[in-house]
Amino acid sequence: MSKNWLLTRRGVLCLGLGTLASIGTLAKSKALNNPARDFTVVGEASLKERAAAKGLIYGAPAKYRTLSSDAEFAARFPQECAILAAENDLKWRNIRPSPKRFNFTKGDWMLEFARTHDLLFRGHTLVWYKALPKWFKEKVNSQNAERILVDHIDKVVGRYAGQIHSWHVVNEALHLRDGRSDGLRNSPWLDVLGPDYIELAFRAAREADPKSLLVYNENDLWFDGQLWSTTANGEAKRVAVLKLLERLKSRGTPIDVLGIQGHLRGTYMTHLNPKKLRAFLADVADLDLKIMVTELDVRDHKLPKDINVRDRLVATAYEDFLSVVLDEPAVMAVFTWGLSDRDTWLSRFSPRKDGLAVRPLPLDDQLNRKLAWNAMARAFDNAPMR
Ligand code: XIL
């Protein structure tokens, strides 16, 4: 166990006790004054190399639009990443313009890019309550839903069978605020198929591609307490995920991995509870499942505007989170949700009120390494070997 790890962990615990001070101020002073946080990194090796040295995979998603038009970005991507995921180009709305028609042009191009650059490829996502095509509401009902879903998975997963490292089969199926006892979200899929749609999707995916790892992907699993009005208490959500996974496993559902999204919030890092998160990861591993961090980034829209201060806080969040998560041997991969601040969903989804650009990812908008990159590099370097 390294010294950094201990100091980092102690730092987190101290932060956890400081409930009287405002979260922002506390997080800021601890992170800035902690001498262990110099974010020193030894050597020049890339994130993918540092991850691989520990038996981990590091990668990120990207968009066809960016990869195909931004040569500088396309050249930089494979230098840091070992795996490419489709950020949007395999979502329903983008590949199924009508019930009978599929458009694989962009997905095919992404896979070819991955192959050319020696990257693994990951599919995202087969069943989600968002990004559904306009025709969905009008055309899908309880009579035809099963056929339409299984046909979708057959065609999409089948097309890339044998060439995909992992598929996000079901994304964000839980939403405790919807009030159901099983915690399931009132999604369009639940409406037409009932709770068994999850199992149905996994079975169809395994059938279409026996080789790819099948992932259940979920958000809001990293924190304690309730952070904002539309979300659930983090602990309650972890319990609901475990129940869902237990149920799927007990029914023999072909599921291999829990994906923990990891959209962290710079102003809420005092809500990271290492002990509880650690216990949760161990419980997931006990179900004979692997774990991936699938969508890591740090929202900085409410952090101070000073870039040095902001970057330190973002880096601190990365290191705090990863130092806990990577201690669990079942964790096999880490993906940030994007590689560079040049192309992050948060610039539209969580922009800053002061108009400054957000800085949530390991590389800045010039594709240079930031402190967040150092934090990730250190977390990989300090991680136990898989
Ligand atoms: C986001 C993409 O990054 C955006 O470009 C798009 O406009 C909306 O979707 N959780 C998920 C991802 O599982 O699919 C979302 O991606 C981000 C939140």
Side-chain angles (χ1 to χ4, degrees):
M1 195 181 295
S2 79
K3 197 170 153 218
N4 282 339
W5 185 92
L6 270 178
L7 287 167
T8 303
R9 193 64 45 90
R10 198 174 304 139
V12 174
L13 290 174
C14 291
L15 288 175
L17 294 173
T19 42
L20 291 178
S22 96
I23 291 164
T25 319
L26 183 69
K28 183 175 151 186
S29 61
K30 287 285 176 193
L32 295 178
N33 299 334
N34 185 344
R37 302 289 194 165
D38 62 1
F39 294 109
T40 305
V41 170
V42 181
E44 284 300 312
S46 64
L47 291 180
K48 72 173 178 186
E49 289 161 337
R50 290 171 198 270
K54 297 301 170 67
L56 286 157
I57 307 173
Y58 168 68
K63 306 178 184 86
Y64 162 81
R65 203 181 55 226
T66 315
L67 276 183
S68 63
S69 64
D70 183 341
E72 197 190 12
F73 179 79
R76 188 77 181 88
F77 190 94
Q79 292 170 357
E80 295 288 350
C81 295
I83 180 164
L84 166 70
E87 182 165 341
N88 290 320
D89 297 298
L90 294 177
K91 289 175 178 169
W92 274 67
R93 192 186 286 158
N94 300 324
I95 51 170
R96 202 156 175 186
S98 77
K100 296 220 165 89
R101 238 165 34 83
F102 289 80
N103 182 350
F104 290 113
T105 316
K106 293 177 183 169
D108 290 357
W109 189 95
M110 299 277 287
L111 175 64
E112 197 44 43
F113 180 91
R115 267 215 292 251
T116 312
H117 295 89
D118 227 359
L119 299 162
L120 298 168
F121 191 48
R122 182 174 62 139
H124 174 88
T125 171
L126 299 168
V127 186
W128 194 26
Y129 72 103
K130 280 187 176 165
L132 289 168
K134 288 216 175 72
W135 55 263
F136 188 93
K137 234 183 172 158
E138 199 187 307
K139 296 273 165 58
V140 181
N141 53 53
S142 5
Q143 274 73 53
N144 64 14
E146 180 168 338
R147 188 171 48 72
I148 290 180
L149 176 61
V150 172
D151 179 46
H152 186 85
I153 293 176
D154 255 12
K155 293 249 166 49
V156 179
V157 178
R159 184 173 185 91
Y160 302 116
Q163 306 178 79
I164 289 232
H165 172 266
S166 41
W167 262 110
H168 284 177
V169 180
V170 178
N171 196 27
E172 301 175 353
L174 293 167
H175 194 240
L176 274 55
R177 308 272 289 174
D178 284 346
R180 290 174 53 98
S181 60
D182 55 10
L184 287 182
R185 182 187 293 277
N186 281 330
S187 83
W189 290 111
L190 188 81
D191 265 5
V192 287
L193 284 170
D196 288 342
Y197 79 89
I198 300 177
E199 193 175 333
L200 179 72
F202 276 98
R203 289 192 187 284
R206 179 67 96 228
E207 187 116 322
D209 181 359
K211 285 210 175 125
S212 135
L213 291 171
L214 303 184
V215 183
Y216 174 71
N217 195 42
E218 191 52 88
N219 62 14
D220 297 344
L221 296 173
W222 64 270
F223 57 81
D224 256 10
Q226 186 176 338
L227 301 196
W228 51 93
S229 64
T230 55
T231 200
N233 173 294
E235 185 64 10
K237 187 138 187 191
R238 286 190 287 272
V239 169
V241 169
L242 278 174
K243 275 202 186 129
L244 173 65
L245 295 175
E246 270 160 23
R247 187 178 134 79
L248 292 173
K249 286 297 276 188
S250 72
R251 294 169 62 91
T253 313
I255 171 173
D256 306 302
V257 179
L258 172 67
I260 294 178
Q261 290 191 357
H263 293 294
L264 308 181
R265 303 219 169 197
T267 37
Y268 286 113
M269 291 316 291
T270 50
H271 288 255
L272 178 75
N273 183 324
K275 206 170 153 207
K276 286 195 191 166
L277 185 53
R278 212 176 273 286
F280 169 70
L281 298 174
D283 286 345
V284 174
D286 282 349
L287 290 172
D288 202 19
L289 290 168
K290 295 283 186 201
I291 299 164
M292 294 182 187
V293 176
T294 52
E295 304 189 14
L296 185 57
D297 54 16
V298 180
R299 228 164 268 204
D300 68 333
H301 64 312
K302 293 195 177 148
L303 293 181
K305 68 196 286 186
D306 181 304
I307 284 180
N308 290 327
V309 174
R310 202 160 17 122
D311 280 1
R312 272 190 88 71
L313 291 168
V314 167
T316 304
Y318 270 100
E319 193 170 58
D320 285 352
F321 176 73
L322 284 176
S323 66
V324 175
V325 168
L326 294 179
D327 251 6
E328 168 53 58
V331 174
M332 60 177 290
V334 175
F335 301 82
T336 43
W337 198 243
L339 175 63
S340 148
D341 297 337
R342 183 184 284 197
D343 189 23
T344 161
W345 73 305
L346 292 173
S347 54
R348 282 177 66 189
F349 197 80
S350 276
R352 290 180 62 88
K353 288 217 169 81
D354 57 17
L356 294 176
V358 295
R359 300 173 63 85
L361 290 170
L363 303 186
D364 68 15
D365 61 0
Q366 298 303 306
L367 308 179
N368 293 320
R369 293 168 172 178
K370 291 160 48 191
L371 273 196
W373 182 95
N374 289 42
M376 291 197 70
R378 276 160 56 105
F380 288 142
D381 290 351
N382 290 333
M385 186 72 191
R386 267 60 199 153

